[in-house]
């Protein structure tokens, strides 16, 4: 368990920085115990690489010291090289510490002893020592006595980087590897090829990089914008650069897993060599995102010859036992209409195109296995039958991983809900992300062992990994912003014993972590301390705006207008009495605004805040605040829409009864609604309006339908009337008709506001 060490103030030595609190080591060590003694660390501290040769580990430690603090320490094999009264960091072989990566670290008055039975353990001990140093520049500091006994929980601790959608320079990839190493990750999954770019030099196929390494232009803004930047985008790594990066990672005890995507996500390869596709082209390196129907032809043997040639060069560059062959998101449309693919299905007595995908993966697996390596594939490789020795990367939730483990296959968990760092980490995101919401707490709370696995299946879960897809991540600063602090949280999930994982302890460490990112020169997200805004019901059927932040230092400032001159300090939910704009932000101790302004437009009417009874419950993530969401004064059709403020029903109609409290004269009734067929959200087929004086017997007023309903649409009843109760019933399609997205499934219907004027 993690123990708290009181901060030591050493007044006799005014230039000393304060000894670090051992709680600050992240990922938290398996065992720590406070000890007496204080180690004085300064530029004269010697590193003794005793017994076995740990010079490489010592030199890498020095590289980081140089980078963060501006100096190196003297290194020697022999302690006697240093004066007898100098303080020493001793790196020592200890055969009893056997687990890969395990180490002990003991800080005493004049020595820091780091011992392990393997150089990985020594390396990790030095990474821990780095975190016992202050997170700001210093020439000297005191380190409080401590004993750490540490080892990893999971054997596979991975981070992924997509360099196809947006390219990262070789220099940044090395920096990324440094970040992994400092967090004790041991696998770097390098996504090198995709529809939008082929990024690895293959000597036998030079067009892969000269053609497939370039796209003519790139989508601007969100997917579907249809706007392009008219600027060619190119980039690839030479084999020499790849060798250097692999050596760089290996020195840092990180295995590099290359991913060569097949049979889908192959447009850059098809653009380079059109004979690889079913239609033979023409193809172009893709300029927008998504999933593309053109894939490698599975019927043509030359596809396999090509891929074997490519993989031969790849295996020569990467010593990794695992070679990732993709396997995800491969549409079967081209194969259905390709003579060669259909012949392959027939000749091999395959059931269908899913079995053809399985044939494809198994054929490639045989080749990889013959070369002494193993494949990893995304969980789609389960479809049509798993290749005999494959490791499955479970990304579409946990289910693929569970199934693979039950089939006695190794698994690496990367479920989107917890492990997709391209998803937003803030509800107030200030730049485009691919969507989703994976906040820091969610990542920290992830448990890689699915609860439904039996004890004898658990060992198939090798570990987990976070993925960083770069459609909307165009530069290193944004990469850092998306991974920090989430990859730090995941490192603790993967390294620390499950029993000692403790959110409160992690939360306490966040400010210190942020200082350390600054010391590293790394960008990071402050989203954890975001200003959170919520529209809430107040007593007596009033509407309130509730604001909160986890920041302990910042104040919340709020204004009820476009102008900020009237801004004042927020103390409690404000009552929204009239229509209009409210905005709020965080202000630091120096009265500087340190967040975006969060804005909320309110449109109040006779229904606002009134009690609403729902006949059918709203569903899943779109249950909002129940009936209140329909009268909360927030109309998403006015812009600034948040899906969390819609109420969604799945497979049922919507029926709401509003109690206006007394007989009320009205001129019109509007039901604001939303549709997005691509997401299986369809307009209601019809909406019926009713009124009543007693809430029991209702009179039908009118039925309205909107055959051409747009994304945002309004069902309107526009005749004056008088009533205490208004009932609105919206009928959903019973099932989504064929030919439309989600055909055969029950549709969603979405509403956000009942407006009675
Ligand atoms: C994936 O996110 N398509 C593996
Ligand atoms: Zn084909």
């Amino acid at each position: 368990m993690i123990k708290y060490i009181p901060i030591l103030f050493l007044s006799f030595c005014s230039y000393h920085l304060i000894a670090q609190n051992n709680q600050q080591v992240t990922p938290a060590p398996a065992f720590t115990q406070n000890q007496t003694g204080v180690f004085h660390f300064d530029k004269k501290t010697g590193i003794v690489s005793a017994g076995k040769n740990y010079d490489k580990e010592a030199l890498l430690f020095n590289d980081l010291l140089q980078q963060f603090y501006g100096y190196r320490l003297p290194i020697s094999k022999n302690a006697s090289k240093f004066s007898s009264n100098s303080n020493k960091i001793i790196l020592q072989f200890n055969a009893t510490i056997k687990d890969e990566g395990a180490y002990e670290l003991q800080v005493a008055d004049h020595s820091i002893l780091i011992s392990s039975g393997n150089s990985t353990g020594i390396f990790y001990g030095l990474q821990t020592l780095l975190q016992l140093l202050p997170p700001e520049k210093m020439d000297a500091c005191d380190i409080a006595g401590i004993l750490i006994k540490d080892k990893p929980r999971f054997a596979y601790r991975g981070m992924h980087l997509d360099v196809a959608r947006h390219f990262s320079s070789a220099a940044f990839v090395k920096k990324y590897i440094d970040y992994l190493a400092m967090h004790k990750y041991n696998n770097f999954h390098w996504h090198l090829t995709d529809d939008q770019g082929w990024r690895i030099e293959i000597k036998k196929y030079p067009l892969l990089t000269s053609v497939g390494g370039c796209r003519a232009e790139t989508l601007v803004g969100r997917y579907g914008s249809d706007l392009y930047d008219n600027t060619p985008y190119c980039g690839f790594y030479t084999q020499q650069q790849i060798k250097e990066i692999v050596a760089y990672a290996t020195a840092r005890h990180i295995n590099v897993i290359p991913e060569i995507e097949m049979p889908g996500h192959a447009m850059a390869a098809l653009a380079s060599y059109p004979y690889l596709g079913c239609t033979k082209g023409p193809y172009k390196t893709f300029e927008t995102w998504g999933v593309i129907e053109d894939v490698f032809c599975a019927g043509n043997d030359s596809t396999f010859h090509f891929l074997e040639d490519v993989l031969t060069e790849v295996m020569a560059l990467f010593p990794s036992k695992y070679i990732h062959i993709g396997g995800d998101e491969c549409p079967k449309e081209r194969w259905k209409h390709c003579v060669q693919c259909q012949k392959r299905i027939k000749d091999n007595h395959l059931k269908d195109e899913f079995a053809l995908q399985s044939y494809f993966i198994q054929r490639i697996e045989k080749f990889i296995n013959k070369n002494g390596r193993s494949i990893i594939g995304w969980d789609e490789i389960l479809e049509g039958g798993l290749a005999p020795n494959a490791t499955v990367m479970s990304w579409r939730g946990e289910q693929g991983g569970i199934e693979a483990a039950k089939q006695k296959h190794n698994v690496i968990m990367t479920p989107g809900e917890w492990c997709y760092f391209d998803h937003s980490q803030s509800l107030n995101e200030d730049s485009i992300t691919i969507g989703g919401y994976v906040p820091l707490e969610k990542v920290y709370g992830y448990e890689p062992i699915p609860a439904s696995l039996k004890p004898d299946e658990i060992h198939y879960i090798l570990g987990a990994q976070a993925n960083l897809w770069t459609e909307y991540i165009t530069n290193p600063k944004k990469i850092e912003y998306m991974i920090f602090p989430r990859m730090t949280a995941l490192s603790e999930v993967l390294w620390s014993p499950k029993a000692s994982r403790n959110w409160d302890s992690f939360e306490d460490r966040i400010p210190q972590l942020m200082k350390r990112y600054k010391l590293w020169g790394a960008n990071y997200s402050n989203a954890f301390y975001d200003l959170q805004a919520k529209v809430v019901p107040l007593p007596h059927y009033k509407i309130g705006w509730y604001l909160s932040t986890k920041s302990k230092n910042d104040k919340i400032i709020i204004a009820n207008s476009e102008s900020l001159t009237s801004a004042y300090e927020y103390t409690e939910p404000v009552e929204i009495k009239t229509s209009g704009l409210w905005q709020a932000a965080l202000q630091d101790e120096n009265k500087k605004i340190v967040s975006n302004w969060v804005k909320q437009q309110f449109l109040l009417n006779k229904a606002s805040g009134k009690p609403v009874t729902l006949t059918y419950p709203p569903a899943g993530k779109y249950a909002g605040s129940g009936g209140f969401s329909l009268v909360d004064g927030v109309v998403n059709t006015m812009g600034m829409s948040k899906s969390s403020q819609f109420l969604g029903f799945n497979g049922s109609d919507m029926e709401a009864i509003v109690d206006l409290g007394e007989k009320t004269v009205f001129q019109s009734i509007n039901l604001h609604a939303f549709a997005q067929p691509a997401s299986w959200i369809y307009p209601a087929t019809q909406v019926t309006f009713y009124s009543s004086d007693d809430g029991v017997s209702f009179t039908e007023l009118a039925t309205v339908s909107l055959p051409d309903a747009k994304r945002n649409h309004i069902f309107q009843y526009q005749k004056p009337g008088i009533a205490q109760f208004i009932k609105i019933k919206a009928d959903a399609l019973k099932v989504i008709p064929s030919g439309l997205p989600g055909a055969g499934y029950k549709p969603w219907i979405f509403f956000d506001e009942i407006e009675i004027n």
Side-chain angles (χ1 to χ4, degrees):
M1 293 299 290
I2 319 301
K3 305 249 170 55
Y4 177 74
I5 288 194
I7 290 172
L8 299 168
F9 290 90
L10 298 171
S11 56
F12 55 86
C13 204
S14 60
Y15 66 89
H16 283 176
L17 283 160
I18 303 309
Q20 288 299 293
N21 175 342
N22 76 60
Q23 268 192 313
Q24 301 291 356
V25 177
T26 307
F31 171 86
T32 66
Q33 187 179 62
N34 302 332
Q35 308 236 298
T36 57
V38 175
F39 182 91
H40 180 68
F41 177 98
D42 63 20
K43 292 176 179 179
K44 294 200 293 288
T45 301
I47 304 181
V48 183
S49 173
K52 297 251 174 184
N53 188 346
Y54 298 124
D55 284 3
K56 272 195 303 201
E57 281 66 34
L59 286 168
L60 293 175
F61 177 77
N62 258 347
D63 285 350
L64 294 175
L65 271 190
Q66 171 73 45
Q67 196 182 322
F68 304 146
Y69 302 103
Y71 50 86
R72 295 172 182 277
L73 302 183
I75 303 174
S76 172
K77 281 213 188 323
N78 195 338
S80 65
K81 162 118 189 297
F82 302 111
S83 74
S84 58
N85 61 355
S86 77
N87 290 338
K88 297 172 199 71
I89 299 164
I90 301 161
L91 311 182
Q92 194 167 67
F93 177 73
N94 180 342
T96 66
I97 305 172
K98 290 195 175 71
D99 291 338
E100 181 66 13
Y103 68 92
E104 288 184 18
L105 185 156
Q106 187 159 29
V107 177
D109 276 326
H110 298 290
S111 69
I112 294 177
L113 180 63
I114 297 176
S115 50
S116 176
N118 50 74
S119 57
T120 312
I122 299 290
F123 180 78
Y124 289 151
L126 285 164
Q127 301 309 310
T128 294
L129 175 57
L130 259 188
Q131 293 191 37
L132 296 176
L133 304 178
E136 51 261 318
K137 293 249 181 277
M138 54 91 200
D139 289 334
C141 68
D142 290 316
I143 305 175
I146 189 169
L147 172 65
I148 295 176
K149 296 184 181 196
D150 205 5
K151 64 174 187 179
R153 178 178 172 205
F154 287 102
Y156 186 103
R157 305 177 300 280
M159 283 290 297
H160 152 286
L161 180 64
D162 167 14
V163 293
R165 276 51 176 266
H166 284 100
F167 184 69
S168 281
S169 69
F172 181 75
V173 171
K174 288 181 182 169
K175 200 170 193 185
Y176 195 77
I177 287 168
D178 280 342
Y179 295 148
L180 267 60
M182 289 193 287
H183 289 87
K184 305 185 176 90
Y185 283 89
N186 63 352
N187 279 282
F188 169 46
H189 171 175
W190 202 2
H191 184 80
L192 286 162
T193 73
D194 214 300
D195 298 308
Q196 296 81 4
W198 184 283
R199 307 287 177 218
I200 171 173
E201 180 188 25
I202 300 295
K203 303 266 192 205
K204 193 162 180 183
Y205 298 97
L207 301 185
L208 283 173
T209 41
S210 64
V211 174
C214 282
R215 57 179 180 258
E217 54 184 357
T218 303
L219 183 82
V220 178
R222 260 181 216 294
Y223 180 68
S225 75
D226 248 4
L227 292 172
Y228 290 83
D229 66 1
N230 195 28
T231 307
Y233 187 93
C234 302
F236 72 94
Y237 308 99
T238 63
Q239 293 204 348
Q240 183 53 35
Q241 284 176 312
I242 293 203
K243 282 181 200 158
E244 284 167 19
I245 287 169
V246 169
Y248 189 91
T250 306
R252 286 154 184 81
H253 301 271
I254 290 174
N255 174 53
V256 185
I257 300 173
E259 181 181 356
I260 306 296
E261 269 272 15
M262 62 190 80
H265 289 292
M267 270 296 266
L270 303 195
S272 312
Y273 297 98
Y275 74 84
L276 297 170
C278 292
T279 66
K280 316 299 175 205
Y283 303 113
K284 60 177 181 174
T285 311
F286 215 53
E287 293 149 5
T288 182
W289 322 124
V291 172
I292 299 157
E293 288 182 349
D294 288 301
V295 301
F296 284 120
C297 176
N300 193 343
D301 279 339
S302 56
T303 301
F304 293 95
H305 298 152
F306 164 84
L307 287 169
E308 289 176 7
D309 289 343
V310 167
L311 290 168
T312 299
E313 291 194 32
V314 167
M315 286 186 281
L317 292 168
F318 293 90
S320 171
K321 172 186 160 197
Y322 292 116
I323 305 292
H324 202 305
I325 49 77
D328 60 319
E329 298 181 319
C330 178
K332 309 296 186 287
E333 200 54 30
R334 293 288 180 265
W335 292 355
K336 277 185 193 154
H337 304 287
C338 168
V339 174
Q340 281 177 294
C341 285
Q342 289 305 313
K343 182 168 184 310
R344 177 87 73 199
I345 288 177
K346 192 154 162 273
D347 291 352
N348 291 274
H349 312 291
L350 303 174
K351 181 165 160 266
D352 56 13
E353 288 73 22
F354 288 95
L356 181 58
Q357 154 130 348
S358 178
Y359 166 91
F360 195 115
I361 302 293
Q362 297 203 25
R363 184 160 165 179
I364 293 293
E365 181 186 56
K366 271 202 200 97
F367 177 75
I368 301 256
N369 287 169
K370 205 172 73 193
N371 283 275
R373 314 293 183 92
S374 305
I375 64 161
I376 301 179
W378 300 108
D379 58 47
E380 284 93 332
I381 67 169
L382 281 153
E383 294 165 2
L386 205 43
N389 306 309
T391 295
V392 172
M393 231 174 220
S394 187
W395 73 279
R396 296 175 303 172
E398 296 181 277
Q399 199 50 41
I402 293 168
E403 262 176 56
K406 291 197 180 295
Q407 293 183 35
K408 304 192 188 314
H409 280 251
N410 284 335
V411 172
I412 296 157
M413 298 300 288
T414 70
E417 203 179 331
W418 297 273
C419 296
Y420 267 44
F421 289 180
D422 55 339
H423 291 194
S424 294
Q425 52 201 318
S426 164
L427 293 171
N428 313 325
E429 208 62 80
D430 53 5
S431 63
I432 300 179
T433 72
I434 203 153
Y437 180 49
V438 180
L440 184 63
E441 309 91 299
K442 180 101 192 185
V443 176
Y444 192 84
Y446 178 54
E447 173 47 45
I449 306 282
S452 64
L453 287 188
K454 300 203 184 89
D456 64 337
E457 294 162 344
I458 284 171
H459 70 276
Y460 290 111
I461 308 295
L462 304 181
Q465 168 178 297
N467 296 335
L468 196 70
W469 303 101
T470 56
E471 285 92 337
Y472 300 99
I473 303 175
T474 61
N475 61 75
K477 286 289 154 215
K478 180 101 182 250
I479 289 178
E480 292 171 348
Y481 176 85
M482 297 307 276
I483 62 174
F484 293 132
R486 290 187 290 190
M487 78 172 270
T488 310
L490 186 65
S491 76
E492 194 148 306
V493 171
L494 292 171
W495 179 277
S496 307
K498 187 178 176 189
S500 71
R501 215 188 317 155
N502 178 322
W503 167 259
D504 291 339
S505 151
F506 185 79
E507 184 178 346
D508 285 347
R509 278 176 272 154
I510 296 173
Q512 185 93 344
L513 288 172
M514 290 180 170
K515 283 190 192 163
R516 212 167 282 282
Y517 303 144
K518 278 191 194 141
L519 181 71
W520 298 344
N523 193 20
Y524 59 90
S525 166
N526 207 30
F528 178 69
Y529 297 114
D530 265 0
L531 177 56
Q532 306 271 356
K534 236 166 109 174
V535 182
V536 294
L538 295 182
H540 311 296
Y541 306 118
K542 305 279 197 263
I543 295 172
W545 201 36
Y546 171 78
L547 302 167
S548 63
T549 175
K550 299 198 187 83
S551 169
K552 299 197 169 58
N553 304 318
D554 302 329
K555 284 197 298 202
I556 300 172
I557 298 297
I558 183 167
N560 175 17
S561 67
E562 285 286 354
S563 149
L564 300 173
T565 50
S566 63
Y568 61 95
E569 186 180 345
Y570 171 92
T571 52
E572 59 182 358
V574 291
E575 185 191 331
I576 307 301
K577 294 179 181 157
T578 56
S579 298
L581 179 75
W582 283 82
Q583 33 187 346
L586 294 178
Q587 190 184 61
D588 71 7
E589 292 114 325
N590 304 318
K591 297 203 174 298
K592 187 167 157 247
I593 297 298
V594 290
S595 74
N596 295 329
W597 285 90
V598 174
K599 300 182 183 214
Q600 186 63 63
Q601 187 82 46
F602 289 92
L603 177 69
L604 298 200
N605 58 78
K606 289 178 175 167
S608 299
K610 295 292 187 299
V612 175
T613 311
L614 294 174
T615 309
Y616 312 104
K621 276 198 299 191
Y622 301 102
S625 311
F628 175 73
S629 291
L630 293 176
V631 292
D632 60 3
V634 177
V635 180
N636 291 293
T637 42
M638 297 167 67
M640 297 181 244
S641 61
K642 290 211 175 88
S643 60
S644 58
Q645 289 169 342
F646 287 96
L647 216 49
F649 299 81
N650 188 210
S652 76
D653 298 331
M654 188 285 287
E655 186 176 274
I657 300 170
V658 186
D659 179 355
L660 297 170
E662 60 188 355
K663 274 194 161 193
T664 303
V665 176
F666 60 87
Q667 305 300 324
S668 65
I669 309 170
N670 294 330
L671 175 65
H672 295 259
F674 176 85
Q676 188 167 283
S679 307
W680 305 11
I681 307 166
Y682 286 86
T685 53
Q686 62 172 30
V687 171
T688 308
F689 297 88
Y690 306 84
S691 68
S692 166
D693 288 338
D694 58 7
V696 178
S697 117
F698 281 90
T699 308
E700 183 176 331
L701 301 174
T703 293
V704 178
S705 60
L706 295 174
D708 299 319
K710 299 272 181 311
R711 184 183 158 89
N712 292 111
H713 54 281
I714 308 173
F715 293 93
Q716 295 182 306
Y717 172 72
Q718 288 181 308
K719 275 198 199 132
I722 179 165
Q724 181 177 344
F725 297 91
I726 298 293
K727 178 164 91 178
I728 303 180
K729 177 158 188 295
D731 297 348
L733 285 164
K734 294 292 162 263
V735 68
I736 302 174
S738 65
L740 295 176
Y745 288 88
K746 291 186 186 307
W748 286 83
I749 43 175
F750 264 49
F751 304 97
D752 73 312
E753 201 71 356
I754 294 170
E755 183 189 350
I756 301 175
N757 292 307

